[in-house]
Amino acid sequence: MRDLLAALTELRERLQEIPQADERRLQDLKTEILGRKAGALTKILVALPGLEPAARKQVGAAANTLKREFEAALAARERGLKDAAGVAAGVDLKMPGRARWRGGLHLVTRVMDEICAIFREIGFTRAVGPEVETEWYNFGALNFPKDHPAIDAQDSFYLEGEGGYLLRTHTSPVQIRTMEQHRPPIRVVSLGQCYRRDPFDPSHSPVFEQVEGLVVDEGVTFVDLKATLSWWARRFFGPATRTRFSPSYFPFTEPSADMQVTCAVCGGSGCPTCKQTGWIEILGSGMVHPAVLENCKIDSERYSGFAFGMGPARIAMARHGIPDIRLFFESDVRFLAQFADAAGGAP
Ligand code: 2NL
């Protein structure tokens, strides 16, 4: 048994010959050590059954370990020689392949989906509607006065010809259509593209996305508005987020309030994203004006509601500290891929 262990130690030395071996030498080494009839290691393995049980166990373990080491070293050298042969023939087998580009959802699209998914948890459904609207659905039903500046062709995109059709300036018409088609209780988020004659500058785009929400039921109060929107903000921006409301004005809500959240970039201590205030304005909201309910044939004595509207591009900017809304429209993959999730983006 001592002899066998000594033979194994000697054989182990020969592992060092493998990394330098050329193809022929490699074949010889294989035969000399692992050959089925006369291989040095094979011989030891064949002798095992004749040993005492304790010796058989010790020598057997050492011999099998060494056999696996030889097999691994021989295989590695074989691979190395093959790669080298490929390079010599002008084929670099180690060259990385060309990665495939996988498409991904745009950051603004993903933010819209996230916003809606959170509202879905508390019973809101999604609604969409036409982007070309009548003045009634876009302005009249929403209690805009006849001389409101937004109605002016300077501020909205009108289609040529009769009918006064225009590109919707918000998604509110979708909610008017929802109130016409469904009786309360109503809990709905509407979303999609909107159009305004705005300059294309760091904080405006003439084409933009909107997500709006609407709740109509018996006994809905301003408390429901504040609680729902504060809960949503913490779900979206994180549990440490605080919210505050300040008075605002919209023709379609009374009273109206803007909601601010503590800056998601600096946590409220002040940074360029929140202009050193620690707060960022996220949405407008309010109690649905009774005239709007009546325009949809909903009894405003019995029912009340709240509504809100937000711009997902601005929300994405607030969350990620993106300084210019125009970046969303440039299709620069270096910009977009920074926000890609596992399902998309550049390789
Ligand atoms: C903003 C403000 C808001 C609404 C949208 C709404 C819709 C109906 C009735 C009443 Cl049908 N209100 N929507 C209410 C308050 C604010 O959006 O700043 N959006 C970006």
Side-chain angles (χ1 to χ4, degrees):
M1 169 190 151
R2 279 245 177 81
D3 294 350
L4 290 177
L5 288 174
L8 284 172
T9 308
E10 218 166 286
L11 262 184
R12 172 175 294 280
E13 295 288 309
R14 307 200 58 189
L15 273 172
Q16 291 165 18
E17 294 173 36
I18 295 173
Q20 283 88 38
D22 63 11
E23 220 156 316
R24 253 179 85 179
R25 182 83 196 110
L26 204 62
Q27 281 312 316
D28 291 347
L29 276 168
K30 222 174 186 173
T31 315
E32 278 173 41
I33 292 153
L34 298 174
R36 263 209 284 163
K37 284 192 186 127
L41 194 51
T42 313
K43 279 188 189 159
I44 295 172
L45 286 164
V46 167
L48 287 177
L51 299 179
E52 296 287 305
R56 192 192 312 153
K57 207 171 154 194
Q58 199 186 344
V59 179
N64 276 308
T65 304
L66 189 59
K67 186 180 176 196
R68 276 193 297 276
E69 284 177 64
F70 267 110
E71 283 167 348
L74 289 164
R77 181 59 182 154
E78 244 166 42
R79 228 180 301 121
L81 287 170
K82 225 179 185 173
D83 287 351
V87 173
V91 184
D92 183 356
L93 299 172
K94 290 201 212 88
M95 191 172 86
R98 279 188 205 159
R100 274 171 194 265
W101 285 63
R102 287 193 294 161
L105 295 178
H106 193 282
L107 175 60
V108 174
T109 305
R110 289 219 329 278
V111 164
M112 291 172 86
D113 286 345
E114 250 182 85
I115 292 167
C116 295
I118 296 171
F119 282 115
R120 191 184 140 83
E121 291 175 20
I122 50 174
F124 285 75
T125 50
R126 273 165 76 125
V128 290
E131 291 183 16
V132 175
E133 273 292 4
T134 62
E135 287 192 276
W136 171 253
Y137 279 108
N138 195 75
F139 296 122
L142 285 152
N143 201 37
F144 276 73
K146 282 235 159 350
D147 59 354
H148 192 283
I151 298 173
D152 198 297
Q154 298 273 313
D155 295 298
S156 303
F157 292 107
Y158 282 81
L159 274 68
E160 281 179 10
E162 296 298 301
Y165 291 107
L166 75 153
L167 300 181
R168 68 180 179 193
T169 59
H170 42 200
T171 52
S172 309
V174 180
Q175 293 173 312
I176 297 296
R177 292 172 184 279
T178 302
M179 284 191 278
E180 282 180 342
Q181 285 158 25
H182 301 272
R183 296 293 90 192
I186 292 169
R187 284 194 291 267
V188 73
V189 280
S190 58
L191 66 161
Q193 230 153 35
C194 306
Y195 307 83
R196 290 184 195 173
R197 288 199 177 220
D198 278 336
F200 200 32
D201 70 22
S203 55
H204 296 86
S205 161
V207 185
F208 60 98
E209 313 280 345
Q210 204 179 24
V211 177
E212 273 190 279
L214 174 73
V215 172
V216 182
D217 201 351
E218 288 181 55
V220 175
T221 71
F222 201 81
V223 173
D224 299 301
L225 180 159
K226 286 186 76 175
T228 304
L229 295 177
S230 297
W231 173 85
W232 173 84
R234 273 186 275 283
R235 288 281 285 109
F236 186 87
F237 290 103
T241 308
R242 283 179 298 137
T243 52
R244 71 181 188 191
F245 291 81
S246 52
S248 185
Y249 176 80
F250 304 104
F252 32 86
T253 48
E254 180 60 33
S256 307
D258 292 326
M259 183 175 85
Q260 288 120 40
V261 298
T262 40
C263 179
V265 173
C266 66
S269 58
C271 71
T273 295
C274 60
K275 298 199 186 81
Q276 309 303 329
T277 64
W279 294 90
I280 291 200
E281 191 154 306
I282 284 306
L283 55 82
S285 65
M287 301 306 291
V288 180
H289 197 293
V292 175
L293 295 174
E294 296 293 340
N295 284 338
C296 304
K297 313 232 155 34
I298 291 174
D299 181 357
S300 65
E301 296 287 334
R302 180 173 170 195
Y303 294 106
S304 57
F306 70 84
F308 53 91
M310 54 183 123
R314 290 191 181 176
I315 289 185
M317 291 165 77
R319 188 164 70 173
H320 297 286
I322 296 163
D324 194 317
I325 205 166
R326 292 171 295 191
L327 287 162
F328 290 129
F329 297 88
E330 286 171 2
S331 299
D332 185 334
V333 181
R334 293 168 303 178
F335 169 74
L336 295 171
Q338 295 178 78
F339 311 103
D341 59 11

